[in-house]
């Protein structure tokens, strides 16, 4: 069962980015390590994360690895180089169409529909046959209307286990 995550503007201490919880993230544990407090460092040429740190959720990109946060609404997530233990790996992104926010249920449905085919391409096994899971970062109604946010960012993960390295081609 996929997990969902919403990002967008929220009133809580200007935390504008994620709501872990339209449907609760299932199988995700609280970080066993201390969350980095500094901003993540990226390679100037490749944009790959080279040093762990915090990243605004709107800057998470395909290829980034990041960890879970034990909060309902957050503005940043801890990103790490993919060769370090991590909870999630972003594998695909796409924009939703439309001028008006279609509603949480429609956004979630479109995200699942849009993240499933590239999951098979990335993992090497269809989602239905895989032991791995997919999730997505979604626009909220506020981010849709106030920031023109239409992006869905798809991520892959192993339930209750941190991964070291990429899951690309894992075929499981």
């Amino acid at each position: 069962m996929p997990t969902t995550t919403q990002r967008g503007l929220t009133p809580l201490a200007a935390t504008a980015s994620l709501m872990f919880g339209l449907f609760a993230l299932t199988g995700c544990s609280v970080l066993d390590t201390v969350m980095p407090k500094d901003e993540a460092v990226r390679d100037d040429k490749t944009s790959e994360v080279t040093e762990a740190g915090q990243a605004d959720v709107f800057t998470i990109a395909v290829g980034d690895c990041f960890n879970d946060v034990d909060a309902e609404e957050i503005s940043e997530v801890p990103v790490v180089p993919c060769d370090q233990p991590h909870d999630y790996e972003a594998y695909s992104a796409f924009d939703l169409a439309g001028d008006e926010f279609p509603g949480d249920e429609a956004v979630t449905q479109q995200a699942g529909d849009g993240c499933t085919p590239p999951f098979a391409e990335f993992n090497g096994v269809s989602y239905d046959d895989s032991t791995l899971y997919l999730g997505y970062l979604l626009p909220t109604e506020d981010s849709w209307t106030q920031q023109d946010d239409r992006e869905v960012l798809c991520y892959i993960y192993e339930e209750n286990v941190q991964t070291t390295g990429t899951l690309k081609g894992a075929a499981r």
Side-chain angles (χ1 to χ4, degrees):
M1 168 176 251
T3 63
T4 62
T5 303
Q6 281 198 329
R7 64 179 174 205
L9 298 175
T10 64
L12 272 177
T15 57
S17 304
L18 289 178
M19 290 191 323
F20 276 92
L22 184 57
F23 302 96
L25 285 175
T26 58
C28 300
S29 63
V30 175
L31 290 176
D32 294 330
T33 58
V34 176
M35 285 180 21
K37 299 294 183 199
D38 297 327
E39 188 174 322
V41 176
R42 293 183 180 273
D43 181 272
D44 289 336
K45 293 181 182 177
T46 66
S47 294
E48 182 179 333
V49 174
T50 57
E51 291 183 38
Q54 293 296 109
D56 181 286
V57 293
F58 292 106
T59 65
I60 306 283
V62 171
D64 285 352
C65 294
F66 57 103
N67 287 315
D68 195 6
V69 176
D70 187 26
E72 260 188 55
E73 298 177 358
I74 56 177
S75 61
E76 296 179 322
V77 295
V79 295
V80 298
C82 290
D83 63 357
Q84 294 180 11
H86 57 273
D87 296 318
Y88 310 115
E89 180 178 357
Y91 67 88
S92 184
F94 63 94
D95 287 337
L96 299 173
D99 293 329
E100 292 191 26
F101 185 72
D104 291 333
E105 189 174 317
V107 168
T108 301
Q109 180 66 48
Q110 291 174 41
D113 292 347
C115 288
T116 302
F119 178 94
E121 293 168 27
F122 183 82
N123 180 29
V125 174
S126 74
Y127 183 68
D128 290 337
D129 295 330
S130 181
T131 60
L132 301 173
Y133 294 86
L134 68 85
Y136 19 80
L137 302 180
L138 306 170
T140 64
E141 185 170 6
D142 285 344
S143 70
W144 185 287
T145 58
Q146 297 175 18
Q147 295 179 306
D148 201 30
D149 177 23
R150 305 290 190 273
E151 183 179 72
V152 172
L153 184 72
C154 311
Y155 57 86
I156 188 171
Y157 66 100
E158 189 168 0
E159 188 174 36
N160 298 319
V161 175
Q162 284 196 316
T163 301
T164 301
T166 183
L167 289 171
K168 184 173 185 164
R172 53 185 173 103

